[in-house]
Amino acid sequence: MSSTTQTNRLTKEEYRRQKDLDAARKAGTAPAAIDDEGNEINPHTPQFMLNAPWYVDTGKVSLKHQRAPEKRKGPKFGPDDNYWYARGKRVGPAATKYRKGACENCGAISHKTRDCVERPRKKGAKWTGKNIQADEIIQEADLDWDEKRDRWNGYDPKEHDQVIEEYNKVEEARRSAKASELDKEGPTTTQEAKKWAKQNKTGQLSDDEDNGNEDDDDDDKYADQADMPGQHVNQKTRTTIRNLRIREDTAKYLLNLDTESAFYDPKTRSMRDNPLKDKPEDQVSFAGDNFTRYTGDAPEMAKVQMFAWQAGDRGSQVHLQANPTQIALLHKDYEAKKDKVRGSTQKGILEKYGGAEHLESLPKELLLAQSENYVEYSRTGRVIKGQEKAKARSKYEEDVFINNHHSVWGSYWSDGKWGYQCCRSFMKNSYCTGQAGIEAQQSSAQLLQ
């Protein structure tokens, strides 16, 4: 019977006395209630915590239903159980006859046929009665929530002895191999030469020196495994090999201190433009990140990325980073088909309109500017005998002046602007004003000053 039912059956007088008693207990003028275990109950505990559910209600005021069940003390498995499950153990010798209810495959009665881990036989032990396996030990393990999820539960520390033994053998073999190698090569440094000579003289080293050698061995042992950025230690030659940018390299922003030379992004440490534009690219060590970006396989990679985007827009389920092999094969097929279509289109145009003879290559003597005409030159370059080679002329018209000009555009330069020399006008295709325009420009400049 729950306490709620008892409270509902109380009379008004009893209910008033119960309320006064609860108020007195909260005020500290009345002693606290005692549960069935003899413990005091805090009067400020809410009523919904004091009321026990109907399936654990004993009719007495108690907080026992709020406490976790007590765990069994002591080990669950003893020495007879090997402190854990009897893994791989059998009950006894195998049976000689097949027993009813046993596994039809191996004949063991400790498991069913569907749970058998033996190799499936062509004819099971039920029909042959041969090679019947022994029964396994079925052990009940009452594990709580934490024990079931403990990754080290059931671990035998003796298994680690095999790891230590194997490590000691490998370490001993490594030391003996290194000792034989040092004997063949001889000492490599002054300190090792002294130790080597002392060892040959006395036959053994002191404890301090021996410990020092072990420390050096440990350093060498972990040197190859060290993942240091920018360097790699070669254990045999005791040298450091740098394979990344060293700190002694000049920073990009120090190549040209002019603030207008090129923009440097300190966050990404990138300088896309060339900071030394006045020098040719073959004479500078750094020509900008864009110069490096557009060399090698980077342009080809950009083409593949563009092809992936275009294919995705057309509905193809391709992605360069998710499946690079697929997109590479698709791009290769696309280029092959594109070349085939281009070749067929060109062939069709030539068949329809003609002109295939113009696409044939010229003779080698014409390509290399060679001919049968004999020309003899002097040391100064003057033609002595034969016809002089004609100078190559531009395909554009030369010495053609427009709009009454007497000079071409770009013949005058001032204040970072190009213009005409005849009238000093900076407006292209303007009408020439001649000397009058020059005087007007000078007078306006004097007025501005």
Side-chain angles (χ1 to χ4, degrees):
M1 183 181 296
S2 63
S3 57
T4 305
T5 306
Q6 293 179 357
T7 305
N8 294 335
R9 292 184 178 181
L10 294 178
T11 61
K12 291 185 178 180
E13 186 65 22
E14 293 176 349
Y15 181 76
R16 185 180 61 79
R17 292 178 183 176
Q18 186 68 27
K19 295 290 289 183
D20 294 342
L21 180 60
D22 293 341
R25 287 175 176 173
K26 292 180 180 179
T29 57
I34 306 298
D35 59 1
D36 54 353
E37 297 180 355
N39 300 322
E40 294 184 355
I41 299 177
N42 190 348
H44 300 282
T45 304
Q47 191 68 26
F48 70 89
M49 295 180 63
L50 293 176
N51 296 335
W54 59 270
Y55 49 86
V56 293
D57 188 15
T58 59
K60 299 180 181 179
V61 180
S62 175
L63 291 175
K64 189 175 182 180
H65 61 278
Q66 295 286 350
R67 301 188 185 96
E70 295 182 358
K71 295 184 179 180
R72 183 175 59 183
K73 297 181 180 180
K76 296 184 179 180
F77 304 98
D80 298 337
D81 301 327
N82 195 18
Y83 297 100
W84 190 232
Y85 300 115
R87 293 172 291 185
K89 289 188 177 183
R90 303 286 178 172
V91 176
T96 56
K97 292 183 179 181
Y98 179 78
R99 294 158 294 179
K100 186 179 180 180
C103 176
E104 297 178 357
N105 185 43
C106 66
I109 203 172
S110 55
H111 62 270
K112 299 296 182 181
T113 306
R114 62 180 181 180
D115 300 329
C116 184
V117 296
E118 293 286 336
R119 179 183 60 85
R121 305 178 185 180
K122 187 175 182 180
K123 288 186 178 181
K126 179 180 179 181
W127 295 275
T128 60
K130 299 179 180 179
N131 195 15
I132 298 177
Q133 300 295 325
D135 301 337
E136 302 94 348
I137 297 178
I138 305 301
Q139 188 175 5
E140 296 291 337
D142 185 14
L143 302 179
D144 55 10
W145 193 90
D146 293 329
E147 291 173 346
K148 290 180 181 179
R149 291 156 181 82
D150 185 8
R151 61 191 297 263
W152 294 104
N153 194 2
Y155 175 73
D156 189 4
K158 295 181 180 179
E159 296 179 359
H160 191 64
D161 296 341
Q162 300 177 0
V163 179
I164 297 176
E165 184 179 357
E166 182 180 358
Y167 173 80
N168 292 334
K169 290 181 180 179
V170 173
E171 187 70 15
E172 187 65 26
R174 187 191 64 83
R175 290 186 180 181
S176 59
K178 185 174 182 180
S180 60
E181 183 180 356
L182 291 177
D183 292 341
K184 294 178 181 179
E185 296 180 357
T188 57
T189 60
T190 306
Q191 185 178 4
E192 290 183 357
K194 293 180 180 179
K195 294 180 179 179
W196 185 68
K198 188 174 182 180
Q199 183 178 7
N200 292 338
K201 186 175 181 180
T202 59
Q204 59 181 0
L205 296 175
S206 60
D207 296 339
D208 298 338
E209 295 175 349
D210 194 8
N211 294 333
N213 290 335
E214 291 183 358
D215 295 341
D216 294 340
D217 293 345
D218 293 339
D219 295 340
D220 296 339
K221 177 175 63 177
Y222 295 108
D224 289 340
Q225 300 178 359
D227 189 11
M228 297 295 291
Q231 65 181 9
H232 174 68
V233 180
N234 192 342
Q235 180 182 357
K236 295 183 178 180
T237 59
R238 298 177 180 270
T239 57
T240 301
I241 305 170
R242 299 183 183 272
N243 54 10
L244 292 177
R245 185 185 73 84
I246 58 177
R247 295 300 177 184
E248 289 79 5
D249 290 345
T250 305
K252 300 175 183 178
Y253 57 86
L254 295 179
L255 296 176
N256 192 349
L257 298 180
D258 186 8
T259 56
E260 303 296 333
S261 62
F263 174 72
Y264 176 75
D265 187 8
K267 184 176 181 180
T268 59
R269 299 180 183 178
S270 61
M271 183 180 286
R272 297 177 178 85
D273 201 2
N274 185 6
L276 303 173
K277 293 184 177 180
D278 300 336
K279 296 183 179 180
E281 296 179 350
D282 56 349
Q283 297 182 5
V284 296
S285 59
F286 176 74
D289 292 332
N290 286 341
F291 177 79
T292 307
R293 186 176 301 169
Y294 297 138
T295 56
D297 294 335
E300 188 65 24
M301 192 69 178
K303 293 180 182 178
V304 176
Q305 180 66 77
M306 184 63 67
F307 171 75
W309 289 340
Q310 294 175 355
D313 294 340
R314 295 186 180 95
S316 300
Q317 298 295 331
V318 293
H319 197 277
L320 178 60
Q321 284 73 28
N323 197 346
T325 306
Q326 179 189 12
I327 196 65
L329 294 176
L330 291 176
H331 183 258
K332 185 178 179 180
D333 296 342
Y334 168 75
E335 291 293 336
K337 294 179 180 179
K338 184 178 179 181
D339 296 339
K340 186 177 180 180
V341 171
R342 186 187 295 111
S344 61
T345 304
Q346 184 179 4
K347 184 178 179 181
I349 293 175
L350 292 176
E351 292 177 354
K352 184 176 182 179
Y353 299 101
E357 64 276 3
H358 300 288
L359 300 179
E360 297 179 357
S361 61
L362 298 175
K364 293 184 179 180
E365 58 271 9
L366 296 180
L367 292 176
L368 301 176
Q370 297 178 359
S371 64
E372 297 295 335
N373 298 330
Y374 176 77
V375 181
E376 186 177 346
Y377 297 92
S378 64
R379 292 186 177 180
T380 58
R382 186 173 57 85
V383 179
I384 299 176
K385 187 183 298 184
Q387 184 180 2
E388 187 177 3
K389 182 180 177 181
K391 296 182 180 179
R393 297 179 60 87
S394 174
K395 65 178 181 179
Y396 302 101
E397 297 180 354
E398 299 180 359
D399 299 332
V400 176
F401 307 105
I402 61 175
N403 296 335
N404 200 29
H405 285 286
H406 301 288
S407 59
V408 296
W409 167 260
S411 59
Y412 181 69
W413 168 267
S414 178
D415 297 335
K417 299 178 181 179
W418 294 100
Y420 295 98
Q421 179 67 28
C422 53
C423 60
R424 297 185 182 180
S425 174
F426 299 106
M427 186 178 297
K428 192 174 183 180
N429 298 329
S430 62
Y431 192 82
C432 181
T433 56
Q435 187 65 26
I438 297 176
E439 294 176 356
Q441 184 180 5
Q442 293 177 354
S443 61
S444 62
Q446 292 178 359
L447 292 176
L448 293 176
Q449 293 179 357

